[in-house]
Amino acid sequence: MSGSRRRTVADPPKLAVVGTSGYAFSYLHRARILHDEGLVRFAGMADVRPPSAAATALLPEGATAHVGVDDLLRRCRPDITVVATPPHAHVQVGGAVLRAGSDLLLETPPVLDLEGFTTLSRLAAESGAVCQTGFQSFGSPALPVLQAAIATGKLGEVAGVGAAGAWIRTDAYYRRNPWAGRRWLDGEAVVDGALTNPFSHAVATALLVGGVAGRDPAEIALELYGTRDIEADDTACLRIRFDDGPEIVVAASLCAEQDHEPYVVVHGVRGRAKFWYKSHRLEIDDERVHLGEPADLLRNLVAHHLDPAGVELLAPLSDTRAFASVVEAVRDAPSPARIPAGWIRTVGEGASRHPVVRGIGEEVAVAADRLALFSEIGVPWASAERRRRAGDPPKAGTAGRPG
């Protein structure tokens, strides 16, 4: 740290937020709370668009608003920076933060390919800064209890980890911004599909619970489907295998009859555990465990900044390497197959309109329970698509890119 950035122990670290709308607004609110508690000095925010009056009102006296991240970093010189921009800007903006020597909290999905993961990991190592990701489930109090049950052999050898999620997403969801439902935008990868954005937490949490989050997958099998006139999938499943360790299967859809709480299920040879990662409930065999609220990942980063040796990061970038490989595989996969109209009904009108895939809430659960893809559990439209594509496997790294 340069002399101009030197501070005394009594000075709280300076905090800045990049992004002011959507989920970024919640970070502005949390930054102001931490400021009012005296844990940080909320120094400023940045956005390429003018911030709303509500966002500006959260700035304390003396804090400033900026048009770009470079101006923010130059003028505010933050010790900790939250980046909650669109995902395809994460590497560029997060990289600027790390080069400036500021610790970084990067919202999910943190990166869209392994190259981005490698770039940010290198920049963090070179600058001495750290990168926390926004996977909230990594701060769940249930997670260490589940990990201990696996480590002590309570469940026996773990054969696999499944995850399932089924939500409703209306037309308004896909109108929320220019990159919604896109795979590419202006030549840049966006990868706004079911597995890689709304259910990215399911994928990342399953990998973490399986103890393989920091590894490179040996094989990724994907089944991507769509019901809308969009580039990305809205219904999908995947299987991830490693040279050593349990296989991971995740099934998800944004075309459910009703919202189902997503979960991760661990299949051991002697027992089974189920973790509802949004409500932080845990069930090990027939025993239910309720452990309270999750840790705030921003507070955790502030605590780590103040005491690096005594406080570990709960969601470090290093625990998302396998996840980055999954997003890259989805990016490079063939375009999603269309689910036949006979399996879809439309509910609602206008912005509230949304498609419902018949039985999908049950089918994602069966896939996670059996550790099997849709086509393997006999989903008719998935089995037919698999037969159609048999003998014509996609070439990873080429299909799906803009021409």
Side-chain angles (χ1 to χ4, degrees), residues 58 68 82 111 129 171-172 264 284 360 370 396:
L58 288 171
V82 176
V111 296
D171 284 0
V264 169
I284 300 178
I360 196 63
R370 297 186 185 175

Side-chain angles (χ1 to χ4, degrees), residues 52 75 93 112 124 217 230 239 245 259 268 299 357 362 364 389:
S52 66
R75 293 178 179 270
V93 177
L112 301 179
I230 58 174
R239 174 187 287 115
D259 284 342
R299 285 181 181 271
V357 175
E362 294 75 17
V364 297
R389 292 192 175 187

Side-chain angles (χ1 to χ4, degrees), residues 225-305:
Y225 303 95
T227 64
R228 300 174 177 270
D229 292 326
I230 58 174
E231 292 177 346
D233 58 278
D234 58 23
T235 300
C237 59
L238 65 82
R239 174 187 287 115
I240 316 164
R241 285 179 171 148
F242 298 82
D243 291 331
D244 181 36
E247 69 177 17
I248 311 294
V249 172
V250 184
S253 178
L254 301 174
C255 306
E257 178 79 34
Q258 61 185 22
D259 284 342
H260 296 255
E261 185 176 358
Y263 61 86
V264 169
V265 57
V266 182
H267 299 274
V269 296
R270 289 206 303 268
R272 196 174 95 144
K274 197 170 184 179
F275 172 36
W276 291 268
Y277 61 82
K278 288 186 69 67
S279 62
H280 310 285
R281 294 182 295 129
L282 175 64
E283 183 178 276
I284 300 178
D285 292 330
D286 295 326
E287 179 185 357
R288 293 195 173 186
V289 182
H290 298 272
L291 296 165
E293 295 300 312
D296 183 299
L297 297 180
L298 181 54
R299 285 181 181 271
N300 172 244
L301 177 55
V302 172
H304 175 83
H305 179 88

Side-chain angles (χ1 to χ4, degrees), residues 91-102 119 122-124 126-127 129:
V91 173
Q92 178 185 355
V93 177
V97 169
L98 293 171
R99 279 192 292 269
S102 174
T119 296
R122 175 180 55 79
L123 290 173
E126 290 174 354
S127 67

Side-chain angles (χ1 to χ4, degrees), residues 27 105-111 132-140 143 195-205 208 277 280 294-295 297 314-317 319-321 323-324 327:
Y27 279 111
L105 193 159
L106 192 57
E107 191 38 48
T108 60
V111 296
Q132 174 105 296
T133 66
F135 284 116
Q136 303 292 339
S137 56
F138 288 22
S140 173
L143 195 56
L195 294 171
T196 50
N197 195 352
F199 289 108
S200 62
H201 291 72
V203 177
T205 305
L208 187 69
Y277 61 82
H280 310 285
L297 297 180
L314 293 173
L317 181 66
D319 279 344
T320 66
R321 183 182 183 94
F323 174 79
V327 183

Side-chain angles (χ1 to χ4, degrees), residues 20 31 47 141 194 207 247 277 285 315 327 344 379:
T20 61
D47 203 320
L207 289 162
E247 69 177 17
Y277 61 82
D285 292 330
V327 183
I344 305 167
V379 176

